[in-house]
Amino acid sequence: MKRRDMLKLAALGAALLTTTALLSTGNAFAQDKKWKIGFSQVTTIEPWRAQFNKDIIAEAAKHPEVELIITDGEDKTEKQVADVENLIRQEVDALLVSPKESAGLTGVVQQAIDAKIPVFVLDRNVDTKDYTQFVGGDNKLIGRAAGEYAVELLGGKGKAAGNVVEIWGGMGTQPAHDRHDGFHEFTDKEPGIKYLLDQQSGDWKQDQAYNLMANALKTNEKIDLVYGHNDPMAYGAYLAAKDVGREKDIKFIGIDGLPNEGVQMVNKGELTATFTYVTPGAEGLRQAIKFLNGEKVEKTITLPTEKITKENAAQVLKDNGL
Amino acid sequence: MTALKLLSRTKLYWGLIAIFLIGVLGSPVSSKGNNIFLSYGNLLDVLRQVSTTGLIATGMTAVIITGGIDLSVGSLMAICSVVCAMLLTVPGVTPGVVLGVPTVALVALCLGFVVTRFIFLNVEKSRAGPDAAARDVRLDSVRGLVTPAIVGVVLCCLSLWYLLPQIEPKFGVLGVLLVAPCVGLLFGAINGFIIVAGRLQPFIVTLAMMVTALGIARLTAGQNNAVLPVYTGSNATADFEMLRSLVFGVIPMPGLFFLGAILIYGAVLRFTPFGRYVYAIGGNEEAARLSGIAAGRVKIATYAVSGLLAGIAAVLYVAQYRQGKPDAGAGLELDAIAAVVIGGTSLMGGRGSLIGTFCGVLIFGLLSNILQLHNINSNLQLVLKGMIIIGTVLVQERNAGDLLAYLRLPGGQPARKETAAAKRPPQETPSLNLGGNKK
């Protein structure tokens, strides 16, 4: 009986030891790094966010003097705020935050600023101006690029004509509105362009866009172009058209241009074009390192967009090692 | 005594102390040489981070002790956060005001009824003695309605007198602290009422309420459908900052609310007849009812309190994150249930305590904090947390031996359920006489 107790105690002790060993691997080689940079990510299960993390990790690998800590907010404001609080306690040298939403994260970002930690806000902004730098794409700019190309596809400036289906992202989100406004700056000038759906939202999701498009196909004989606020929705629309055998008559434009998502779709000829919404991961980290090394950084950096069509898709895939 | 048995007999706070020690011993050191885990700021962070879940778990504990469950708390918190943000930022009559002010009036009215009826009837009955039951019924029907009605109307008028002038331009912090929890209380009471009067499973009713309340929260938030930001610096929020601040520079306000809720509700459950009824109902509802406990009313009250605490949590949420949101508190009910279960409350009902829940909530909070400070992969964090829940419950339910025996692993010994059940500590399942026949 007694020996058995000993055994169990030993097992328990071993389990505890493993846990602590596991725990301490995190900072085993932290000592010889010069800069400790924390990055609070919203979630990791969304493709664009996954690419975001991939980009920033790849960039960090190029800087041996940097130790990068990435936290996952699990798509909850509460969790992300707790993450940032933890990073502040770890006294990181610089903090990168990609907020879930402006209001919820402002308080804790202010807290970091008060703790004299330089803060780099990525992708979505916060409601304070005291941060060090904002790095992000400009959705309106991307919408404009898409609109310009759509006009070109439909016959060129002044002559463009056709029926357009626009599939919105979430109605309540700023990116969707920006992508809409930018697009319409060009297409609204063309009297020949007709819009078939009135503000229909696919909520950024492929399945919902499929259903929207399936209905649109039933009620409209002729559809010339589909503009999805992101690639999965454009692809969902493509699948709906394909299922009724009409995909050849329609051009599909998406946004985001992730290497393993939109670019692949364009390369296979499923989407006509996509416009990259570059993740601010790599640029944000470069800027943070620049700042830590004592250089000056601009207050705002707007990332450019790139048009990806059949012609350059293969090259982009190659550049990304795919 | 085997180690497993030893573990299962150990009080929960030892677990809390153990995890705290692990945190201290394994604490990472910051680049500037400070011990991170033990730093005052970090411990404050933990207390603040757990307080929302903690408040929800506090209400949940009593519900679970009665043998029920409340899945709607997250959604209730969402409604209340939306109402709260609207009252703070939008001037004039908003959906928040429409939802909030009549609710407060209604709650005040009901409270008047409940309080006076309770006091009045108790006095009357003790004077009359058991043989005058027939007269009691007659008295109930007259005085039991008139007096409470008067008190209720007075309370109602008082709350309206305080609230109505506040509709223009915006609500202050006190008004919000009054309105939002009342909205939670009302929805919680509706939960309880349907469960009791409709004789439905709490699981089903609160699940339905979870969906319904989410819809109401979204409808109330209106066009925005997402976030109602509460900016700092606007007039109404200046006071509201108080709810995020440190009290006496020592303890964060949300933590104070959490501790207060634990202490007050803990005392109520432990020392009042109401508390004894809660345990009695969880132990055996039919027996409780037969021994004269108004089981229905007690159950409704536990759900109402659960809603009330969700409302308070919502106010703190708005203060801390500066926004009201229809998806605030999503998934919170599961965290709270996990904390309650880790705290030793049985999902079968009849057993458990708020001290246990307090430990459960803190264990969870400290664990998250430690894992996060060590930058453990977040997916691995989820795995570890899940395993700890199962492990703790196995040990607490004294079924770990059964599991090992089933797997033919060393140390496996069936716990002999019957004796284990019979040996449950007496103070946790009070005999029904304590509750029912005390005249």
Side-chain angles (χ1 to χ4, degrees), chain B residues 16-338:
Chain B
L16 187 60
I17 292 170
I19 199 151
F20 192 78
L21 282 179
I22 290 178
V24 174
L25 292 178
S27 167
V29 177
S30 78
S31 49
K32 293 173 186 95
N34 300 325
N35 184 320
I36 298 173
F37 177 79
L38 257 193
S39 73
Y40 178 55
N42 184 55
L43 296 178
L44 284 191
D45 284 349
V46 174
L47 186 56
R48 198 173 49 227
Q49 283 159 14
V50 299
S51 50
T52 312
T53 323
L55 278 168
I56 301 271
T58 304
M60 186 76 79
T61 307
V63 170
I64 291 182
I65 291 174
T66 66
I69 197 134
D70 190 348
L71 299 178
S72 68
V73 277
S75 295
L76 296 193
M77 200 183 127
I79 292 192
C80 297
S81 85
V82 169
V83 167
C84 180
M86 284 199 142
L87 297 178
L88 276 174
T89 54
V90 190
V93 179
T94 62
V97 173
V98 174
L99 202 59
V101 173
T103 304
V104 177
L106 189 66
V107 167
L109 207 67
C110 295
L111 212 64
F113 266 100
V114 170
V115 168
T116 40
R117 239 188 123 94
F118 187 69
I119 296 168
F120 185 74
L121 284 190
N122 266 14
V123 170
E124 197 60 34
K125 275 202 179 131
S126 60
R127 202 184 296 148
D131 42 59
R135 195 158 54 92
D136 269 355
V137 173
R138 202 158 31 81
L139 279 175
D140 282 1
S141 60
V142 185
R143 270 181 241 167
L145 273 179
V146 174
T147 327
I150 295 169
V151 176
V153 167
V154 169
L155 262 177
C156 179
C157 291
L158 274 175
S159 57
L160 285 181
W161 172 77
Y162 174 71
L163 285 173
L164 286 178
Q166 290 210 39
I167 292 178
E168 286 290 343
K170 285 170 197 162
F171 269 60
V173 63
L174 274 176
V176 171
L177 255 179
L178 181 63
V179 175
C182 275
V183 173
L185 181 92
L186 178 76
F187 279 92
I190 293 174
N191 266 337
F193 179 75
I194 297 175
I195 289 166
V196 168
R199 284 189 292 129
L200 291 173
Q201 292 278 346
F203 187 92
I204 301 296
V205 175
T206 55
L207 185 73
M209 178 58 92
M210 175 167 113
V211 182
T212 315
L214 187 69
I216 295 174
R218 287 192 179 161
L219 283 174
T220 314
Q223 191 60 44
N224 246 327
N225 210 3
V227 180
L228 290 157
V230 179
Y231 294 108
T232 40
S234 63
N235 300 338
T237 56
D239 293 342
F240 214 59
E241 288 292 294
M242 185 186 91
L243 290 178
R244 300 191 317 124
S245 59
L246 295 175
V247 186
F248 313 121
V250 185
I251 179 172
M253 192 65 116
L256 193 70
F257 272 87
F258 171 40
L259 293 177
I262 288 278
L263 285 178
I264 294 169
Y265 209 20
V268 167
L269 285 184
R270 184 146 196 148
F271 301 119
T272 66
F274 173 81
R276 288 196 290 275
Y277 298 164
V278 166
Y279 282 100
I281 292 168
N284 185 338
E285 189 173 342
E286 199 48 45
R289 190 172 288 127
L290 289 176
S291 57
I293 296 174
R297 271 185 241 164
V298 172
K299 275 164 85 179
I300 293 177
T302 58
Y303 286 95
V305 173
S306 176
L308 173 83
L309 289 170
I312 295 174
V315 180
L316 297 172
Y317 175 94
V318 173
Q320 193 176 349
Y321 301 110
R322 294 173 172 146
Q323 61 176 356
K325 223 166 57 140
D327 69 339
L332 204 64
E333 59 282 340
L334 296 183
D335 290 352
I337 292 170

